[in-house]
Amino acid sequence: MDLCPAESTGLSGAEEAELETIRKHRQELLDDIKKLKEEIAEMVAEFECFQEEKQEADNNPGEQTRQLSQRDKILSGGRKKFNMDPEKGIQYLIEHQVLSSDLQDIARFLHKGEGLNKTAIGDYLGRRDPKNIEILQAFVACHQFANLNLVQALRQFLWSFRLPGEAQKIDRMMEAFASWYCKCNPGVFQSTDTCYVLSFSIIMLNTSLHNPNVKDKPHFERFVAINRGIDNGGDLPEELLKNLFESIKNEPFSIPEDDGNDLTHTFFNPNREGWLLKLGGRVKTWKRRWFILTANCLYYFEYTTDKEPLGIIPLENLSVRKVDDPKKPNCFELFNPNCKGQKIKACKTDGDGKVVEGKHQSYKISAATPAERDEWIEAIRTSITQNPFYDLVSARKKKIANKN
């Protein structure tokens, strides 16, 4: 698929026009490949259903062959489709009359969650389509929050799906959670805004207390301080905050593990993607790689169609800057400003397919144009510094303050 050169400088007008034609053809090929992948995925799902049927028969050789019912086969195929594309999976199950189009039924199906990828559930519930928002509200209402403190309710809620990374999706989901919790527990908070802000404070507290990369662990007094004035301008009872703090300190949230499809879902909505040249760590040669920036990590692949990356560069504690190189233009560099001379914590696959530690003290990367370089630098800087929780909490605190 390496149809166009990594650099386009020094070309004549005719060559530029020809290059643009090649790029259009390449995009058409990529679109065709995407369609083929979707068709292959459907075929794989049907084949796996057949394998399940065959295994069932093989496990009962002395009995009359018992086949999976048609409904079970459709349900199994629909779950697999959902895990790859939630919208198509739901539509498939509705068209085959295994699931009704009633939004309450869809919500109960997602809440039950059997065989469903919890990352896919979170992605589907977080969408802004009015139908998805109704399903989200019905999904939240499937949880029994009555007489639970806020940490207990959050444990139950955050176990039923994986919270997406996009700020708008998080906002919709936590707004629905706060509304339902307050409805189940009237009188605990003066408003859903209070519940919303405190829920985020608890989630951030969980990260600060139990993430090994956070050295400055917050004390209870700090937890109290950041939640001052959030109850319609007043303070929450210290005893309530103490109980919540101790609960999280003693037992972190359990995050659900999925069935191996997480990596696929990671790349559904990247912050940025495109071809770049990367300088090798041990062997100093430039190689063209397909880069994807998402979830505070930079992934690189040999081809756009690869499912598994050649390497993963976590961006935590890293910085990015423009650099000059005598052999390549438009370069930028990823480096650790606090640990000069040390290898960056990253991983890659070696020639035998084994995952090994990266060899880079810094990563030097070349873009095709100065504009692309600057766009990548800006996107990476945003990814490094972005924490949607803080922005959402800040906006909600301003709303509470304006009311008073």
Side-chain angles (χ1 to χ4, degrees), residues 114-342:
E114 289 183 5
L116 301 181
N117 181 293
K118 293 193 176 184
T119 303
I121 295 174
D123 173 68
Y124 184 77
L125 292 173
R127 296 179 184 181
R128 63 182 179 183
D129 186 272
K131 177 195 71 175
N132 293 75
I133 293 173
E134 277 193 61
I135 293 171
L136 168 62
Q137 292 168 346
F139 174 86
V140 174
C142 290
H143 295 77
Q144 302 300 318
F145 292 153
N147 301 316
L148 297 182
N149 70 33
L150 192 57
V151 168
Q152 291 170 329
L154 281 168
R155 289 190 197 282
Q156 184 187 134
F157 183 58
L158 296 177
W159 180 254
S160 59
F161 66 99
R162 275 202 170 187
L163 202 61
E166 298 93 328
Q168 290 183 337
K169 289 185 177 182
I170 295 172
D171 178 58
R172 283 191 288 272
M173 300 176 93
M174 295 307 295
E175 180 71 50
F177 166 82
S179 296
W180 182 243
Y181 181 84
C182 290
K183 189 172 183 179
C184 292
N185 298 277
V188 174
F189 303 113
Q190 292 192 40
S191 71
T192 57
D193 289 334
T194 304
C195 183
Y196 176 100
V197 171
L198 186 57
S199 297
F200 273 115
S201 295
I202 291 168
I203 294 171
M204 291 188 288
L205 175 68
N206 179 78
T207 301
S208 299
L209 287 175
H210 300 288
N211 186 333
N213 294 318
V214 178
K215 305 302 181 187
D216 183 21
K217 302 298 183 185
H219 299 290
F220 172 64
E221 290 74 17
R222 191 194 303 177
F223 183 64
V224 172
I226 65 173
N227 288 298
R228 291 199 188 282
I230 67 170
D231 200 23
N232 278 1
D235 294 340
L236 291 166
E238 191 166 308
E239 183 181 358
L240 181 148
L241 295 177
K242 184 70 173 177
N243 289 337
L244 299 177
F245 181 90
E246 291 298 326
S247 178
I248 286 296
K249 183 179 178 181
N250 295 331
E251 184 184 352
F253 285 132
S254 296
I255 304 300
E257 294 184 4
D258 269 320
D259 56 5
N261 291 326
D262 283 2
L263 201 58
T264 302
H265 288 280
T266 297
F267 307 132
F268 270 5
N269 296 296
N271 302 114
R272 187 173 178 83
E273 58 184 340
W275 288 107
L276 297 167
L277 294 174
K278 184 184 79 70
L279 183 62
R282 187 169 53 86
V283 180
K284 299 299 182 182
T285 57
W286 291 90
K287 293 187 177 179
R288 191 166 182 263
R289 298 291 183 238
W290 179 257
F291 278 81
I292 291 181
L293 174 64
T294 185
N296 204 33
C297 283
L298 194 59
Y299 301 82
Y300 57 92
F301 303 75
E302 187 172 6
Y303 303 107
T304 59
T305 52
D306 290 347
K307 286 188 176 181
E308 300 292 336
L310 289 175
I312 304 173
I313 308 169
L315 297 175
E316 189 172 7
N317 301 321
L318 298 187
S319 294
V320 61
R321 63 189 173 194
K322 295 179 186 178
V323 291
D324 293 323
D325 185 271
K327 295 183 179 179
K328 295 293 176 185
N330 314 318
C331 289
F332 60 93
E333 181 182 51
L334 291 166
F335 67 101
N336 189 333
N338 302 315
C339 300
K340 293 181 180 178
Q342 295 185 18

Side-chain angles (χ1 to χ4, degrees), residues 50-86:
F50 172 77
Q51 282 186 311
E52 289 176 5
E53 181 179 349
K54 183 177 183 300
Q55 185 177 1
E56 180 69 21
D58 292 342
N59 290 338
N60 299 278
E63 302 176 11
Q64 182 180 6
T65 302
R66 183 170 63 87
Q67 297 183 347
L68 289 171
S69 70
Q70 185 67 15
R71 184 183 185 281
D72 288 339
K73 287 194 290 185
I74 293 171
L75 184 58
S76 177
R79 286 167 174 161
K80 290 182 173 66
K81 289 178 186 292
F82 178 89
N83 292 341
M84 300 182 74
D85 186 322

